[in-house]
Amino acid sequence: MIKNLVFDLGNVVLILDWNSVLDKYADNEEDKKLLNQATFESEEWIKLDDGAIEKAEAIKNMKSHLPERLHNACEGIMEHWKSGLVINDKIINFIDTSKEKGYNIYVLSNAPLDIPEYIENIGLEAKLDGKIISAEERLSKPNHKIYELLLNRYNLNAEECLFMDDRKENIEAARECKLNGYVFNYKEFDKFLVDIKNEYNID
């Protein structure tokens, strides 16, 4: 029986619209591509999620891969990237109704250090029974240790948890740690509701 619903953030609770951020700082498609590669698709971005690099150092490294004319744009993107986060109202409503039905709600996400303040500001923190943010723990999915940390910190039974993530490899790792898992696609929300009703009797 599922008692605990565990959510990833990116493209689950928060839809990632990086194009809207890049469009503010790039005048053409070539610059947009360069900036995207240097920021959102960079090794430094992953290190920020891992808690393995300071933001100032990450930006310095990102700028080193760009022509000088795009340095200010890079700094602007890294200062205002959270403007590209779109709250998934359907999931927020699902969280609220699930909470009313007695489910415990958790977040398990690969995310940088500025995310905890953000989720508090949008009111998500108040809805949670607990959260694991990779940068704070210096552990990232799909490392098994981050799932074990969630279970141990909040004294959860893995078989009673349903983890929802948009990446198949993260769900596979969760299942290897005995959690139930669902590969979530925010564009197929109605299918998600049908699937979890049929598979886990959650409605």
Side-chain angles (χ1 to χ4, degrees), residues 146-157:
I146 198 168
Y147 303 94
E148 293 163 2
L149 178 64
L150 172 77
L151 299 174
N152 293 332
R153 180 170 294 174
Y154 298 109
N155 195 28
L156 304 179
N157 182 334

Side-chain angles (χ1 to χ4, degrees), residues 76-94:
I77 288 168
M78 292 307 296
E79 184 64 30
H80 301 290
W81 66 270
K82 292 188 292 297
S83 67
L85 300 177
V86 180
I87 298 170
N88 187 347
D89 291 330
K90 291 180 179 179
I91 280 288
I92 294 297
N93 291 336
F94 177 74

Side-chain angles (χ1 to χ4, degrees), residues 9 45-51 53 55 78 81-82 109-117 133-136:
L9 289 176
W45 186 261
I46 295 171
K47 287 182 177 180
L48 286 168
D49 279 359
D50 290 343
I53 193 171
K55 190 171 183 179
M78 292 307 296
W81 66 270
K82 292 188 292 297
S109 184
N110 288 355
L113 287 174
D114 28 10
I115 275 294
E117 180 181 9
I133 301 297
S134 62
E136 292 185 322

